[in-house]
Each structure stands twice: as structure tokens, then as C-alpha cells.
Amino acid sequence: MGARAALILAAALAATPALAEDKPSVAVRTRADAVGDVYRFQSDSRYSENALQGHATQTNTQVFEVQVLGVSGDGLRLRYTLKAASLTDSSGPAMATALKALVGVPLEFRVRGDGMIAGLDNWDDFKTRVLAAVDASLPPGDPIRNTYHQRFAQEPINAAEDMVLADVRLMAVMEPRGAAPLGMSEVVDNRRRPPGRAMSDITVSKPGCVVRVVRISASRTPGVIQDLTTEAQISIRDGRTLSLTQRRADKAGGDSSEEHVTIKRLSPAPVC
């Protein structure tokens, strides 16, 4: 996040009491979710890290689908399927090899009304199939093979968010539901490891069609700086992401990292 974004965040946080006042809103997700809805996205990420151990980089492209399997008053039942993936890592080809173990293996899960993951329906089968494919493609003792086993050994929802559903969760954070207040508002930073308070700015890009959502969060603690800025264009009709860009920068001591993520919707957007 640049200096201008940091100043915007600081000014907005200082004005928090005023933000609590009633303000105009826009209705988002005006078309109800339906069983059989399918959304296809492409995610591209670039990551770089400077540490005492040296410099590391990674680029990653994934095409995935999210299908609605069930609709209830509590939320949705969804199926995630990674359709294609490519990855280049400065440490070597093992990470790309392991990533391909996820291609074509569906994960069925449930989300609450706010889009946050509430449960996993076929986690044991998904985990078994992915780790078997990783073990078949990488030799015993390979560091990436070991990392996959360690991360899949986490609490299941945490493992799913880390290894599979990171982009789905990112989009859910940015997608308003129902009456969304226009302008700047303080919002809950509902990531597992939030850097601090977050501000959201919602504007109408195209009346009845698209809203623009910008979310900024920052943290300043002794020796640690974390900045995160995310911008998304969201369909008013189905409430799903049309495009999204996220920039993250972290600094701790002599270590620093930067990540840039873009997500674009490949499936057709609603006509409006």
C-alpha cells in the first residue's frame, strides 16, 4: 500500500464515529443463488521475498470453478474444482509438481450467509486423493512433499483455506450481500491473521449492474509493518466478483515480502 492509501486509512479511522451514521446503501446480490449456478475464474499471483536466506520468487496461475450444490437459509453448499494450474518457483519444479495434484479433485464445502466457510463435506476423501498424488509425484523426504503433509494436517478448515480455497475466501470477503452502505465504513477484518483494523469503500460503478469495493487494512507494531489493499468490481445482480486486485506488503526486521493477486471472472456476467 502506498503512502496515499495509508493516509486515507489513517484519516478514515480517525473519523470512525462519523462513519457509524446512517448512509445510503445499494442492494447487492439481487438475484438469489440457485442450485446449478457455476462460476469460473482465473487467478494470477506474483510473490517475492527478501530474507536472510536470500531472494525467492513465485508466479502462479490457476483456473477454477465454483458450483452451487445446495441453497438453504443458513448459506450455500458449494463445490470447488481446480481446472488448470501452472507455477514457476525460484526454488525449483517441486512446487509446480505438487500443485498439479489438486487439478480435477473436487472439494465440497459449506459457507455461511456472510460467505465464510462453515464446513467441509468430503474433506477426508479430498485430502487422501491429493496427498496420494503428491506422494506419487515427489520422492520421500522432498521438502515440498513434507510441506503438503504438514499443511494438510492442520485443522481441516484452516488447511482448506491455506491450500485450496484461498481465492474463494478472498472473493467472499470482498462481495457485499444485501444492503451495502455506500462510502467509507469500518469493517471486520475476518481473516484468520488480520493485520489490524480495516476500512471498506463502496461506490456504484454502473447503476443496477456493478459496484466497486476497496478494502484497506494496515498494522504498525514494533518491527512489523503489514499493508493490504484490495479492489474488486462486483456484479450487483449475482453478487459475484467480476475482477479483483490485491496488493500486500509485509516487513519484519530485515525480511520483506510482496504479493500481487488478480482474479478475473471467465464465466459470463449477468446481463444488465
Side-chain angles (χ1 to χ4, degrees):
M1 181 171 61
R4 182 175 180 273
L7 289 172
I8 292 172
L9 176 65
L13 289 175
T16 295
L19 296 175
E21 297 176 358
D22 292 337
K23 57 176 65 179
S25 64
V26 58
V28 182
R29 195 163 292 196
T30 56
R31 182 187 74 79
D33 294 291
V35 173
D37 288 347
V38 179
Y39 303 93
R40 177 174 283 227
F41 301 94
Q42 178 173 314
S43 171
D44 296 278
S45 66
R46 300 193 309 271
Y47 176 81
S48 64
E49 179 180 283
N50 291 296
L52 294 177
Q53 295 81 2
H55 179 67
T57 61
Q58 183 184 105
T59 60
N60 187 340
T61 296
Q62 300 183 24
V63 175
F64 61 92
E65 283 186 353
V66 178
Q67 180 178 359
V68 178
L69 301 180
V71 179
S72 69
D74 298 330
L76 301 174
R77 183 166 174 260
L78 304 171
R79 175 187 291 137
Y80 168 96
T81 308
L82 181 62
K83 295 294 187 177
S86 63
L87 184 149
T88 302
D89 192 283
S90 58
S91 66
M95 186 69 78
T97 299
L99 176 62
K100 291 186 182 300
L102 297 167
V103 176
V105 185
L107 176 61
E108 297 178 3
F109 62 104
R110 284 164 281 120
V111 297
R112 305 190 308 252
D114 62 359
M116 296 298 100
I117 298 169
L120 307 171
D121 292 336
N122 68 330
W123 177 250
D124 289 341
D125 177 66
F126 178 85
K127 175 181 174 180
T128 297
R129 290 177 62 182
V130 169
L131 291 181
V134 170
D135 290 349
S137 59
L138 294 174
D142 182 274
I144 301 304
R145 174 174 168 167
N146 293 340
T147 296
Y148 263 65
H149 278 270
Q150 290 166 4
R151 292 191 176 180
F152 271 88
Q154 299 179 85
E155 192 278 328
I157 289 181
N158 290 347
E161 290 178 348
D162 282 350
M163 302 301 291
V164 187
L165 301 178
D167 288 328
V168 172
R169 197 174 194 279
L170 171 57
M171 289 190 293
V173 168
M174 296 298 293
E175 293 169 351
R177 290 160 178 79
L182 293 171
M184 190 78 73
S185 303
E186 185 174 3
V187 292
V188 175
D189 194 348
N190 46 15
R191 290 171 294 149
R192 283 209 314 279
R193 295 175 290 270
R197 300 167 72 185
M199 301 302 301
S200 175
D201 185 31
I202 299 178
T203 56
V204 176
S205 299
K206 184 178 180 181
C209 189
V210 181
V211 293
R212 174 179 177 264
V213 181
V214 179
R215 180 178 285 234
I216 303 171
S217 58
S219 177
R220 298 291 187 274
T221 57
V224 179
I225 297 174
Q226 297 175 299
D227 290 328
L228 184 67
T229 302
T230 313
E231 179 176 340
Q233 298 286 339
I234 307 296
S235 166
I236 286 177
R237 297 292 181 88
D238 61 24
R240 303 289 180 174
T241 297
L242 301 172
S243 64
L244 181 151
T245 300
Q246 182 177 88
R247 296 176 178 83
R248 180 178 64 84
D250 295 340
K251 293 183 180 180
D255 297 344
S256 64
S257 64
E258 294 184 357
E259 183 179 39
H260 182 272
V261 177
T262 61
I263 300 174
K264 61 182 178 182
R265 180 165 165 172
L266 301 181
S267 53
V271 177
C272 58

